[in-house]
Structure formats: structure tokens, C-alpha cells
Amino acid sequence: MSTADLFHKVTEWFSANMETAETELHYDSPFHLLIAVILSAQCTDKRVNMHTPQIFARFPQPADLASASFEEVYELIKSISFPNNKARHLIGMASKLVSDFSGEVPSEIHELETLPGVGRKTANVIASVIYDKPVIAVDTHVFRVSRRIGLSDGGTVEAVERDLTAGFAPQLRGKAHHWLILHGRYVCTARKPKCQECGLSEFCREYILNNVKI
Ligand code: SF4
């Protein structure tokens, strides 16, 4: 099967079987989504969602977080992974929003990437979810699932992002990001992919190559 055909099949299957695909992080503003995405690095969305109501209530606007102490932020996020780094990043991110962007979350990826704690993946998530930009954020699930299915052979996040960007039509990229994340989270899991109940197995390269066993 050609790569174009594979993208077509994958798009067809997800469109039919996962019509609603959106972030599982809770948020009520672009600023709060940015906080949630930074906190979600190497942490589950579920755990982040348990803590963000208190964080959002305490820091409704960037200026509130920019003037907070490290100790206060740390206390609020201490049961989330890497609280030291994340507390520093959150305060730095909010400070830069205030100083450089009039307290608004920018829409351009190169601007988002100037914020502390915001790498390519986080910038793409914000650009896609908030500003509807035709970009695909590649996290650990998207990276693994894309390579297993055969949508990419890329050995780096950048290479996989390039392949997915080329393969999915612009208007589908935001949705495709969530399709692959959710599939990776619940079906094509890292250690024990549930191939027997996976609707993609018929054309998944990994499944076909390994003759049913992975
Ligand atoms: S068939 Fe297995 S390896 Fe392929 S996408 Fe489905 S769960 Fe993942």
C-alpha cells in the first residue's frame, strides 16, 4: 500500500470511528490551556485535571501568576511530575506573556517557543487547539503510533511531524493529532498494544509485519 493510501485509510477509519477527538485537558482560556499543557509533560492529563481548578482559580490572568512566589506555585503543583522545573517555567512563561505579549497568548509558533517551558510540541498544541492552525503536535503517543502504523519512518519528533504534516490535509491536522494521541493512550499503548481490538490492524504495518504478534 502506498503511503498516500495508508493516510487515506487511517483518515477514513478515524473519521468514521472517532468523530469527536479533542484534548482531554480541562481549560477555560488560552492562558489556562497553556498552563495545563506545560504541566502535562510526562504526566497524565487526569492528574493535571485534578489540580488545575485550584491553579486556575488562584491565577486567572498571566499577571497573577507572574507575581506569584516559587513556593506558592510549587505547593500547588507538587504532586505533578517535575514540580521544581514546572513551577519555574510557569512563572517565567506568565512573566514573558506580561512583558512581551501584553498578557495575551501569542498565536505564532515562533513566538510561543520563546516562552519558558514551551517547546515545539506545546507551541503546536496551542496553535492548533486555540488558533486552529494547520499544525500537528508530536508527543510520545503520536510518535509511537505513527511509526507503528507506518505513517512515518522518522527517527525524530521533527521528522515524524514533517511526515504527518505532508500526509494529512491542512484541515485534518488538528484532529489527526488527537486521533493519534487518543489511540495511543487507550488502544495502541506503549507496552501492550491492544491489536486484537484495534480497527487499524488490517492496514497497520507493525501488525502486518509481525503477523498478529507484537
Ligand atoms: S494494530 Fe496494534 S500496533 Fe497497529 S495501531 Fe493497532 S494497536 Fe497499534
Side-chain angles (χ1 to χ4, degrees):
M1 185 183 295
S2 72
T3 307
D5 286 343
L6 185 56
F7 271 97
H8 180 71
K9 284 269 190 197
V10 167
T11 299
E12 208 173 51
W13 188 85
F14 278 117
S15 299
N17 293 283
M18 205 189 280
E19 203 181 329
T20 306
E22 49 197 31
T23 181
E24 293 186 313
L25 290 169
H26 299 164
Y27 66 99
D28 54 11
S29 70
F31 171 55
H32 284 167
L33 179 62
L34 187 48
I35 291 177
V37 178
I38 290 172
L39 290 175
S40 72
Q42 296 181 59
C43 187
T44 63
D45 288 3
K46 198 172 163 195
R47 177 166 286 273
V48 171
N49 289 337
M50 282 166 56
H51 296 278
T52 43
Q54 303 93 288
I55 298 168
F56 295 167
R58 171 63 187 88
F59 308 118
Q61 299 296 330
D64 305 309
L65 179 54
S67 59
S69 68
F70 170 85
E71 289 73 22
E72 184 186 6
V73 177
Y74 180 90
E75 192 60 28
L76 284 166
I77 67 169
K78 65 184 179 192
S79 63
I80 292 175
S81 59
F82 306 108
N84 266 302
N85 278 344
K86 288 179 181 175
R88 262 187 281 278
H89 284 153
L90 289 180
I91 296 169
M93 173 275 284
S95 301
K96 199 161 173 73
L97 286 182
V98 172
S99 63
D100 294 12
F101 300 102
S102 309
E104 298 293 326
V105 175
S107 60
E108 297 300 324
I109 287 167
H110 71 273
E111 292 177 329
L112 285 160
E113 285 184 308
T114 66
L115 301 169
V118 178
R120 177 89 184 168
K121 186 209 80 177
T122 299
N124 280 357
V125 170
I126 299 298
S128 168
V129 173
I130 300 294
Y131 298 110
D132 213 17
K133 301 249 182 194
V135 293
I136 293 194
V138 177
D139 74 348
T140 180
H141 296 300
V142 175
F143 185 79
R144 180 183 70 254
V145 174
S146 303
R147 285 162 47 90
R148 281 181 177 165
I149 296 172
L151 297 175
S152 176
D153 283 324
T156 62
V157 165
E158 292 76 17
V160 172
E161 184 185 325
R162 271 197 302 276
D163 289 340
L164 297 181
T165 303
F168 286 113
Q171 70 277 13
L172 282 176
R173 288 176 196 155
K175 210 158 191 191
H177 159 75
H178 294 298
W179 285 339
L180 295 169
I181 283 190
L182 295 171
H183 197 65
R185 197 172 281 164
Y186 299 110
V187 181
C188 191
T189 49
R191 288 206 195 145
K192 275 195 165 187
K194 301 180 180 107
C195 300
Q196 302 305 326
E197 56 190 74
C198 176
L200 303 174
S201 59
E202 190 190 327
F203 41 85
C204 168
R205 181 177 62 182
E206 187 90 3
Y207 184 81
I208 294 165
L209 285 178
N210 287 285
N211 194 21
V212 183
K213 284 186 188 151
I214 290 183

